[in-house]
Amino acid sequence: MLKREKNILREKSEAFSGRIVKMYQYLKTQKKENVISKQVLRSGTSIGANITESRNAQSTADYLNKQNIALKEADETSY
């Protein structure tokens, strides 16, 4: 089994995604809110997906593009 090096950005994005899922569940069940909660779920969980995808980038430009997409999703989630 390969041992992965510690990646603080990945760890934090995974923890953030977990909190986003819990917030989505709260908004949907307790507040009966569907539209905004789904959008926050999509943008909040895609941050980590884009960071993870950037690890397999084909070039530096591809890596930076995926990282920038993650940043944009973080901005959207924050809004």
Side-chain angles (χ1 to χ4, degrees):
M1 186 165 123
L2 292 173
K3 191 173 186 178
R4 287 190 166 168
E5 63 183 59
K6 188 173 182 170
N7 184 325
I8 194 75
L9 189 56
R10 182 179 172 141
E11 289 175 16
K12 286 184 178 265
S13 67
E14 284 178 6
F16 183 74
S17 289
R19 291 192 309 271
I20 288 292
V21 169
K22 288 178 183 176
M23 184 177 82
Y24 165 77
Q25 292 169 337
Y26 168 78
L27 289 171
K28 189 168 172 96
T29 59
Q30 301 297 316
K31 299 296 183 181
K32 308 295 185 213
E33 202 302 307
N34 291 313
V35 176
I36 293 174
S37 63
K38 285 181 185 178
Q39 185 57 38
V40 169
L41 179 67
R42 280 191 296 270
S43 64
T45 56
S46 73
I47 297 166
N50 282 293
I51 290 169
T52 300
E53 190 176 342
S54 74
R55 293 183 58 197
N56 299 309
Q58 295 177 346
S59 65
T60 301
D62 188 31
Y63 172 82
L64 292 173
N65 183 51
K66 288 174 181 16
Q67 290 287 321
N68 280 323
I69 292 170
L71 180 59
K72 289 177 184 180
E73 294 295 339
D75 285 344
E76 181 179 339
T77 304
S78 174
Y79 173 76

